[in-house]
Amino acid sequence: MESKEPTNEKIIEAVKSYYGLKIDENAYDSADVYAFEETTADGYSVYVVANDMRSICVSEDVYYYESDVPSAIMECIVNSNGYCTLYADQYFLDDIYFDDMLLEEFAEIAEQIHEGIRNDEGDYGFDMAELLWIKEEFTESEEINQTVS
């Protein structure tokens, strides 16, 4: 069987599933992570990533650079330990290229996803050719381990 790279959409859904991530722009009072853009009194855009809307710390939760926001959101998701509801507007997530962050995160967790599928601990929607690609790209083979040792 020849390996086949999964689509970006499948990879993104696998990352969301792995972290129990639900993006909900209506979860204002019940989210685990909040991410949004605000405008300062003098017209500048700033970005907020916080765990509690009622307790935003300017020095820890507010970002001036848009490029820092996806990794800040991902850090909150990774630290959520299981299930995470993200309050964010899809247009905002598109503007900050959050899907790219999820694709990058896949490289960090692909081996665990592969192991989970192999051990029947989860179903991420990959077919056999895609699983083979994940194994080839992201897991260490025994041959490589023996050569290095």
Side-chain angles (χ1 to χ4, degrees), residues 3-16:
S3 65
K4 175 182 84 173
E5 183 174 356
T7 64
N8 285 348
E9 290 78 18
K10 268 192 175 180
I11 291 172
I12 289 167
E13 288 306 312
V15 173
K16 288 179 180 178

Side-chain angles (χ1 to χ4, degrees), residues 21-36 48 50 53 73 84-89 92-93:
L21 175 60
K22 177 182 173 192
I23 299 171
D24 186 352
E25 60 188 56
N26 297 314
Y28 186 80
D29 290 327
S30 60
D32 302 300
V33 179
Y34 299 85
F36 55 93
V48 179
M53 285 291 287
I73 296 171
C84 179
T85 299
L86 170 61
Y87 169 80
D89 180 84
F92 170 73
L93 295 175

Side-chain angles (χ1 to χ4, degrees), residues 83-127:
Y83 296 97
C84 179
T85 299
L86 170 61
Y87 169 80
D89 180 84
Q90 190 58 51
Y91 295 113
F92 170 73
L93 295 175
D94 291 345
D95 287 346
I96 64 168
Y97 300 101
F98 187 64
D99 282 354
D100 291 349
M101 183 80 250
L102 294 173
L103 291 170
E104 286 177 32
E105 184 64 20
F106 185 76
E108 300 296 320
I109 62 172
E111 191 167 352
Q112 292 94 319
I113 286 176
H114 183 266
E115 282 296 312
I117 293 169
R118 232 182 67 200
N119 296 328
D120 290 327
E121 295 170 358
D123 177 21
Y124 296 92
F126 296 115
D127 62 33

